[in-house]
Amino acid sequence: MVYLDNSATTKIYTEAYEEMLPYLLAEYGNPSSKYYEKANNSKVAIELSRERVSKLLGCSIEEVIFTSGSTESNNMIIKGVADFYHHKGKHIITSAAEHPSVLETCEFLVEKGFDVTFLPTDCFGRIDPVQLEREITAETILVSLMWGNNELGSLNDMNAISEVCKKRNVFLHTDATQVIGKLEVDLEDYPGITFLSCSAHKFHGPKGVGCAYLKQDQYGILTPITPLFHGGGQEGNIRSGTLAVHNIVGMGKAASITNDNLQYAIKSLGENEIYLHDLLQTKFGESISFNSDVKDKIPGILNVQFKGVNNELLLKQLAPYVSASTGSACSASKPSHVLAAAGYTIDEIRSSIRFSLSSLTTQKELDVFKEL
Ligand code: PMP
């Protein structure tokens, strides 16, 4: 059996799991408490994780705000910017191929009176930075565009997008959930990015934890937004709630391993994607086509069309040998909005499957396709 649904979630690194355990048993102190050892130990562990995550992202330690994951970070940033800056303008730009945690948040804001532009995409789900620039007006307070697409694996041109937003002086938020650990993400190279979201379980950390990056100014002040959670004022008053110490510790360790292994991971994901591509091509020939056949993409994500075959039925048949998914909460009544935005017909969408690898996937495991 080969697990090829790593864009949905990954296996936690054993080292990350082991480092979490003490914080569920002996070190259960609340990091917001003071003076006694258990509280201090939790606080030290949180700060080590913050440092490890900041190294992975190439940002300052203070710019990392722990959350429950990308869904929360996306909500927090988009709603937080909308609320804080609505007096400056009520226009937000996003794309039609975003994750539902961005799309639904934007739809919610439309109901609250905001004007949202949903940029169209090319056949790989990527937006055109020139069109983005054309859509920015004096009313635009936020651009929210994913770095890499979770269904097709294609990459938006983040360099160009970052430059446009910097030039036009507009906040840029990027949902980087799918690219962390599969691409070099050094925020120093992207001065136009003001906010970023990520989830630990996509890079072999635990589920239910992630972070938001909020850029700080030259005085060390984080870009202000209205908090999503009000309460005890944790995380610099931006994200209240007792910190999930064990999860944050696991995220920190996973971030550290991911950082150390990044070059190997990128190479292995790329090579194994080609290996899988060629295996499928040899096995299925003309009866398949690759929806994500583009050069510049997240390594390790392959979206494949099995012509004339229903994807849900195929996934069921494959399940004893291969764990994969359609790439979205695709149901008979709701086909993938990403493939739809990329111009695929309903029939093409309903015959498409996403295979997503991790750096732990081996060619020997992929050989299961030879036996099918
Ligand atoms: N954005 C993208 C691009 C994703 O792939 C996901 C997870 N599928 C999310 C956001 C949401 O992440 P989480 O479920 O961990 O909150």
Side-chain angles (χ1 to χ4, degrees), residues 7 69-72 74 99 101 146 148 150 175 177-178 199 201-202:
S7 287
S70 290
T71 298
E72 183 189 326
N74 288 341
H99 186 266
S101 55
M146 67 198 329
N150 47 313
D175 176 352
T177 312
Q178 291 291 340
S199 268
H201 69 106
K202 308 285 183 177

PDB file of all heavy atoms in Angstrom, residues 7 69-72 74 99 101 146 148 150 175 177-178 199 201-202, ligand 1:
ATOM      1  N   SER A   7      -0.911  15.806   0.320  1.00  0.00           N
ATOM      2  CA  SER A   7      -1.401  17.182   0.310  1.00  0.00           C
ATOM      3  C   SER A   7      -2.596  17.332   1.228  1.00  0.00           C
ATOM      4  O   SER A   7      -2.959  18.447   1.618  1.00  0.00           O
ATOM      5  CB  SER A   7      -1.782  17.611  -1.110  1.00  0.00           C
ATOM      6  OG  SER A   7      -0.613  17.803  -1.849  1.00  0.00           O
ATOM      7  N   GLY A  69      -3.953  26.398  12.693  1.00  0.00           N
ATOM      8  CA  GLY A  69      -3.661  25.922  11.336  1.00  0.00           C
ATOM      9  C   GLY A  69      -4.054  26.954  10.293  1.00  0.00           C
ATOM     10  O   GLY A  69      -4.459  28.079  10.612  1.00  0.00           O
ATOM     11  N   SER A  70      -3.948  26.546   9.044  1.00  0.00           N
ATOM     12  CA  SER A  70      -4.150  27.508   7.951  1.00  0.00           C
ATOM     13  C   SER A  70      -5.578  28.029   7.853  1.00  0.00           C
ATOM     14  O   SER A  70      -5.792  29.179   7.477  1.00  0.00           O
ATOM     15  CB  SER A  70      -3.755  26.874   6.622  1.00  0.00           C
ATOM     16  OG  SER A  70      -2.360  26.717   6.581  1.00  0.00           O
ATOM     17  N   THR A  71      -6.553  27.200   8.168  1.00  0.00           N
ATOM     18  CA  THR A  71      -7.943  27.683   8.097  1.00  0.00           C
ATOM     19  C   THR A  71      -8.097  28.878   9.031  1.00  0.00           C
ATOM     20  O   THR A  71      -8.645  29.925   8.655  1.00  0.00           O
ATOM     21  CB  THR A  71      -8.933  26.562   8.477  1.00  0.00           C
ATOM     22  OG1 THR A  71      -8.796  25.505   7.534  1.00  0.00           O
ATOM     23  CG2 THR A  71     -10.374  27.060   8.486  1.00  0.00           C
ATOM     24  N   GLU A  72      -7.593  28.720  10.242  1.00  0.00           N
ATOM     25  CA  GLU A  72      -7.698  29.833  11.196  1.00  0.00           C
ATOM     26  C   GLU A  72      -6.846  31.021  10.749  1.00  0.00           C
ATOM     27  O   GLU A  72      -7.305  32.173  10.797  1.00  0.00           O
ATOM     28  CB  GLU A  72      -7.265  29.379  12.600  1.00  0.00           C
ATOM     29  CG  GLU A  72      -7.433  30.499  13.611  1.00  0.00           C
ATOM     30  CD  GLU A  72      -6.826  30.183  14.968  1.00  0.00           C
ATOM     31  OE1 GLU A  72      -6.857  29.000  15.387  1.00  0.00           O
ATOM     32  OE2 GLU A  72      -6.315  31.119  15.601  1.00  0.00           O
ATOM     33  N   ASN A  74      -5.926  31.905   7.766  1.00  0.00           N
ATOM     34  CA  ASN A  74      -6.558  32.585   6.623  1.00  0.00           C
ATOM     35  C   ASN A  74      -7.727  33.450   7.092  1.00  0.00           C
ATOM     36  O   ASN A  74      -7.872  34.601   6.682  1.00  0.00           O
ATOM     37  CB  ASN A  74      -7.050  31.558   5.592  1.00  0.00           C
ATOM     38  CG  ASN A  74      -5.892  30.910   4.832  1.00  0.00           C
ATOM     39  OD1 ASN A  74      -4.786  31.429   4.807  1.00  0.00           O
ATOM     40  ND2 ASN A  74      -6.154  29.769   4.214  1.00  0.00           N
ATOM     41  N   HIS A  99      -8.159  28.009  -1.665  1.00  0.00           N
ATOM     42  CA  HIS A  99      -8.752  27.023  -0.759  1.00  0.00           C
ATOM     43  C   HIS A  99     -10.065  27.598  -0.200  1.00  0.00           C
ATOM     44  O   HIS A  99     -10.188  28.823  -0.041  1.00  0.00           O
ATOM     45  CB  HIS A  99      -7.758  26.759   0.385  1.00  0.00           C
ATOM     46  CG  HIS A  99      -8.173  25.668   1.302  1.00  0.00           C
ATOM     47  ND1 HIS A  99      -8.870  25.901   2.468  1.00  0.00           N
ATOM     48  CD2 HIS A  99      -8.013  24.328   1.214  1.00  0.00           C
ATOM     49  CE1 HIS A  99      -9.097  24.738   3.067  1.00  0.00           C
ATOM     50  NE2 HIS A  99      -8.586  23.770   2.336  1.00  0.00           N
ATOM     51  N   SER A 101     -11.086  27.965   2.684  1.00  0.00           N
ATOM     52  CA  SER A 101     -10.918  28.821   3.864  1.00  0.00           C
ATOM     53  C   SER A 101     -10.608  30.266   3.479  1.00  0.00           C
ATOM     54  O   SER A 101     -10.777  31.176   4.299  1.00  0.00           O
ATOM     55  CB  SER A 101      -9.834  28.264   4.797  1.00  0.00           C
ATOM     56  OG  SER A 101      -8.622  28.080   4.103  1.00  0.00           O
ATOM     57  N   MET A 146      -2.879  32.301  -3.109  1.00  0.00           N
ATOM     58  CA  MET A 146      -2.121  31.148  -2.628  1.00  0.00           C
ATOM     59  C   MET A 146      -0.782  31.054  -3.359  1.00  0.00           C
ATOM     60  O   MET A 146      -0.661  31.434  -4.517  1.00  0.00           O
ATOM     61  CB  MET A 146      -2.927  29.859  -2.772  1.00  0.00           C
ATOM     62  CG  MET A 146      -3.181  29.433  -4.179  1.00  0.00           C
ATOM     63  SD  MET A 146      -4.540  28.237  -4.396  1.00  0.00           S
ATOM     64  CE  MET A 146      -4.579  27.267  -2.931  1.00  0.00           C
ATOM     65  N   GLY A 148       1.018  28.020  -3.724  1.00  0.00           N
ATOM     66  CA  GLY A 148       0.936  26.824  -4.560  1.00  0.00           C
ATOM     67  C   GLY A 148      -0.430  26.194  -4.403  1.00  0.00           C
ATOM     68  O   GLY A 148      -1.000  26.205  -3.304  1.00  0.00           O
ATOM     69  N   ASN A 150      -3.306  23.443  -4.035  1.00  0.00           N
ATOM     70  CA  ASN A 150      -3.404  22.132  -3.383  1.00  0.00           C
ATOM     71  C   ASN A 150      -3.918  21.030  -4.306  1.00  0.00           C
ATOM     72  O   ASN A 150      -3.687  19.859  -4.064  1.00  0.00           O
ATOM     73  CB  ASN A 150      -4.287  22.211  -2.133  1.00  0.00           C
ATOM     74  CG  ASN A 150      -5.589  22.932  -2.366  1.00  0.00           C
ATOM     75  OD1 ASN A 150      -5.625  24.011  -2.948  1.00  0.00           O
ATOM     76  ND2 ASN A 150      -6.677  22.334  -1.930  1.00  0.00           N
ATOM     77  N   ASP A 175      -1.428  32.168   1.118  1.00  0.00           N
ATOM     78  CA  ASP A 175      -1.679  30.882   1.747  1.00  0.00           C
ATOM     79  C   ASP A 175      -0.579  29.947   1.242  1.00  0.00           C
ATOM     80  O   ASP A 175      -0.597  29.508   0.092  1.00  0.00           O
ATOM     81  CB  ASP A 175      -3.075  30.399   1.321  1.00  0.00           C
ATOM     82  CG  ASP A 175      -3.396  29.019   1.855  1.00  0.00           C
ATOM     83  OD1 ASP A 175      -2.508  28.363   2.427  1.00  0.00           O
ATOM     84  OD2 ASP A 175      -4.559  28.587   1.698  1.00  0.00           O
ATOM     85  N   THR A 177       0.285  27.034   2.558  1.00  0.00           N
ATOM     86  CA  THR A 177       0.089  25.711   3.165  1.00  0.00           C
ATOM     87  C   THR A 177       0.756  24.580   2.385  1.00  0.00           C
ATOM     88  O   THR A 177       1.353  23.690   2.973  1.00  0.00           O
ATOM     89  CB  THR A 177      -1.426  25.420   3.283  1.00  0.00           C
ATOM     90  OG1 THR A 177      -2.049  26.557   3.865  1.00  0.00           O
ATOM     91  CG2 THR A 177      -1.698  24.195   4.129  1.00  0.00           C
ATOM     92  N   GLN A 178       0.639  24.625   1.065  1.00  0.00           N
ATOM     93  CA  GLN A 178       1.118  23.476   0.274  1.00  0.00           C
ATOM     94  C   GLN A 178       2.582  23.571  -0.123  1.00  0.00           C
ATOM     95  O   GLN A 178       3.134  22.602  -0.635  1.00  0.00           O
ATOM     96  CB  GLN A 178       0.253  23.319  -0.989  1.00  0.00           C
ATOM     97  CG  GLN A 178      -1.164  22.875  -0.707  1.00  0.00           C
ATOM     98  CD  GLN A 178      -1.252  21.432  -0.199  1.00  0.00           C
ATOM     99  OE1 GLN A 178      -0.341  20.631  -0.388  1.00  0.00           O
ATOM    100  NE2 GLN A 178      -2.347  21.100   0.461  1.00  0.00           N
ATOM    101  N   SER A 199       0.184  25.333   7.860  1.00  0.00           N
ATOM    102  CA  SER A 199      -0.288  24.280   8.783  1.00  0.00           C
ATOM    103  C   SER A 199       0.816  23.245   8.971  1.00  0.00           C
ATOM    104  O   SER A 199       1.389  22.764   7.991  1.00  0.00           O
ATOM    105  CB  SER A 199      -1.491  23.543   8.172  1.00  0.00           C
ATOM    106  OG  SER A 199      -2.705  24.120   8.554  1.00  0.00           O
ATOM    107  N   HIS A 201       0.711  20.089   9.846  1.00  0.00           N
ATOM    108  CA  HIS A 201       0.512  18.698   9.427  1.00  0.00           C
ATOM    109  C   HIS A 201       0.800  18.468   7.944  1.00  0.00           C
ATOM    110  O   HIS A 201       0.793  17.329   7.480  1.00  0.00           O
ATOM    111  CB  HIS A 201      -0.897  18.214   9.796  1.00  0.00           C
ATOM    112  CG  HIS A 201      -2.008  18.832   9.023  1.00  0.00           C
ATOM    113  ND1 HIS A 201      -2.685  18.154   8.038  1.00  0.00           N
ATOM    114  CD2 HIS A 201      -2.569  20.051   9.085  1.00  0.00           C
ATOM    115  CE1 HIS A 201      -3.622  18.943   7.537  1.00  0.00           C
ATOM    116  NE2 HIS A 201      -3.580  20.100   8.161  1.00  0.00           N
ATOM    117  N   LYS A 202       1.062  19.554   7.214  1.00  0.00           N
ATOM    118  CA  LYS A 202       1.429  19.381   5.801  1.00  0.00           C
ATOM    119  C   LYS A 202       2.934  19.161   5.656  1.00  0.00           C
ATOM    120  O   LYS A 202       3.415  18.841   4.584  1.00  0.00           O
ATOM    121  CB  LYS A 202       1.006  20.593   4.971  1.00  0.00           C
ATOM    122  CG  LYS A 202      -0.449  20.998   5.124  1.00  0.00           C
ATOM    123  CD  LYS A 202      -1.413  20.088   4.398  1.00  0.00           C
ATOM    124  CE  LYS A 202      -2.821  20.640   4.560  1.00  0.00           C
ATOM    125  NZ  LYS A 202      -3.826  19.905   3.852  1.00  0.00           N
TER     126      LYS A 202
HETATM  127  N1  PMP B   1      -5.035  26.129   2.411  1.00  0.00           N
HETATM  128  C1  PMP B   1      -4.609  25.136   1.605  1.00  0.00           C
HETATM  129  C2  PMP B   1      -3.994  25.471   0.285  1.00  0.00           C
HETATM  130  C3  PMP B   1      -4.764  23.808   1.999  1.00  0.00           C
HETATM  131  O1  PMP B   1      -4.357  22.828   1.195  1.00  0.00           O
HETATM  132  C4  PMP B   1      -5.361  23.539   3.263  1.00  0.00           C
HETATM  133  C5  PMP B   1      -5.553  22.112   3.724  1.00  0.00           C
HETATM  134  N2  PMP B   1      -6.117  21.260   2.791  1.00  0.00           N
HETATM  135  C6  PMP B   1      -5.762  24.613   4.064  1.00  0.00           C
HETATM  136  C7  PMP B   1      -5.586  25.896   3.599  1.00  0.00           C
HETATM  137  C8  PMP B   1      -6.405  24.399   5.397  1.00  0.00           C
HETATM  138  O2  PMP B   1      -5.515  23.795   6.289  1.00  0.00           O
HETATM  139  P1  PMP B   1      -6.040  23.212   7.681  1.00  0.00           P
HETATM  140  O3  PMP B   1      -7.116  22.236   7.338  1.00  0.00           O
HETATM  141  O4  PMP B   1      -4.837  22.564   8.280  1.00  0.00           O
HETATM  142  O5  PMP B   1      -6.557  24.347   8.474  1.00  0.00           O
END
